[in-house]
Amino acid sequence: TRAMIYAIERTQAKAALHKAEEKYRGIFENAVEGIFQSTPDGHYLSVNPALTRIYGYSSPAELIDSMTDIGKSLYVDPNRRAEFIRLMQKDGVITDFESQIYRKDRSVIWISENARAVRDVQGKLLYYEGLVEDITKRKVTEEILRFSEMRFRSVWENASDGMRLTDPNGTILAVNPAFCRIVGMEEKEIEGKPFTITYSEEEDLAEMMEKFK
């Protein structure tokens, strides 16, 4: 009877393990993010289809066979692999590790990696495993916004006309140097104050507002 119970429990454990493996395999194969396992010396042990697509290869096998040295073959800056390993040795995990990498056709994209070091029960490092996301669109958008902000800042600082930003209640949020010169006041005297602070009591507010439109 005890042997029968043991056999049933063993069968159930095997079934549960098989089910868990199938679930993991489904996640691995169908994930949107790239998933990898790599050795400390720079070889991929396994990659999923998503990572294959991100890196521009036709199959996981092709990527694994072609990428014999991750540091030299993948990263635009080879020092990124050394930094990856340094952080792994220090913390055992990395998050939002952004780098430029080469795809198979040598085009360059941006990726973000989240990874951890996997060790055995004795603490020996076995491999690294992690997720990869293509963040190229986000980085391009950030660069466009940065360029736009630089252009706006240049116009704001160098304009000969007075410029101001106010909230819906008429409180001054920011003024440019030309505005300060026109009203004869310093920036710190103006910002955070009502718009009317820039006019003397003798001046007609409506007329002055027309002047600054």
Side-chain angles (χ1 to χ4, degrees), residues 24-203:
Y24 173 77
R25 175 57 55 183
I27 294 172
F28 184 81
E29 294 292 336
N30 299 310
V32 176
E33 298 87 358
I35 301 175
F36 70 87
Q37 292 178 334
S38 67
T39 63
D41 62 354
H43 294 81
Y44 281 119
L45 296 173
S46 66
V47 298
N48 72 335
L51 189 68
T52 301
R53 290 191 296 270
I54 291 171
Y55 289 175
Y57 289 82
S58 60
S59 70
E62 182 192 14
L63 173 54
I64 292 172
D65 291 341
S66 301
M67 199 76 65
T68 56
D69 188 322
I70 294 174
K72 293 180 179 179
S73 303
L74 183 67
Y75 295 99
V76 174
D77 178 2
N79 294 323
R80 293 301 285 165
R81 180 65 178 179
E83 179 65 7
F84 179 99
I85 293 175
R86 186 189 71 79
L87 292 173
M88 279 296 193
Q89 292 174 340
K90 176 176 177 288
D91 303 319
V93 63
I94 60 170
T95 57
D96 301 325
F97 187 78
E98 297 183 358
S99 309
Q100 286 183 297
I101 63 104
Y102 291 114
R103 302 181 82 235
K104 179 184 177 182
D105 63 4
R106 304 305 287 174
S107 61
V108 175
I109 63 171
W110 279 94
I111 62 167
S112 176
E113 296 176 86
N114 295 291
R116 71 185 185 99
V118 178
R119 300 178 181 275
D120 63 18
V121 292
Q122 283 78 37
K124 179 182 177 182
L125 178 63
L126 300 177
Y127 54 84
Y128 304 127
E129 67 177 12
L131 302 175
V132 174
E133 180 184 2
D134 183 348
I135 59 169
T136 305
K137 290 183 179 179
R138 192 190 83 197
K139 298 296 286 189
V140 170
T141 300
E142 289 175 353
E143 186 63 20
I144 291 173
L145 289 174
R146 188 184 68 83
F147 181 70
S148 297
E149 289 170 357
M150 289 176 59
R151 288 188 61 186
F152 174 78
R153 176 57 57 185
S154 177
V155 171
W156 177 268
E157 295 290 341
N158 299 309
S160 58
D161 296 327
M163 302 172 69
R164 69 190 185 282
L165 295 176
T166 61
D167 68 13
N169 297 318
T171 300
I172 297 175
L173 302 176
V175 292
N176 73 336
F179 192 95
C180 294
R181 290 194 299 271
I182 291 171
V183 300
M185 301 173 69
E186 294 184 10
E187 185 177 334
K188 62 183 179 181
E189 299 178 278
I190 303 172
E191 292 181 355
K193 304 293 179 57
F195 182 64
T196 53
I197 193 68
T198 57
Y199 306 106
S200 65
E201 294 180 359
E202 294 78 15
E203 290 175 318

Side-chain angles (χ1 to χ4, degrees), residues 1-12:
T1 302
R2 181 172 295 180
M4 184 179 296
I5 293 174
Y6 175 74
I8 292 173
E9 289 178 344
R10 185 176 180 182
T11 300
Q12 290 175 338

Side-chain angles (χ1 to χ4, degrees), residues 13-24:
K14 285 184 176 180
L17 179 60
H18 180 68
K19 186 175 181 180
E21 289 175 346
E22 285 186 336
K23 183 177 180 180
Y24 173 77

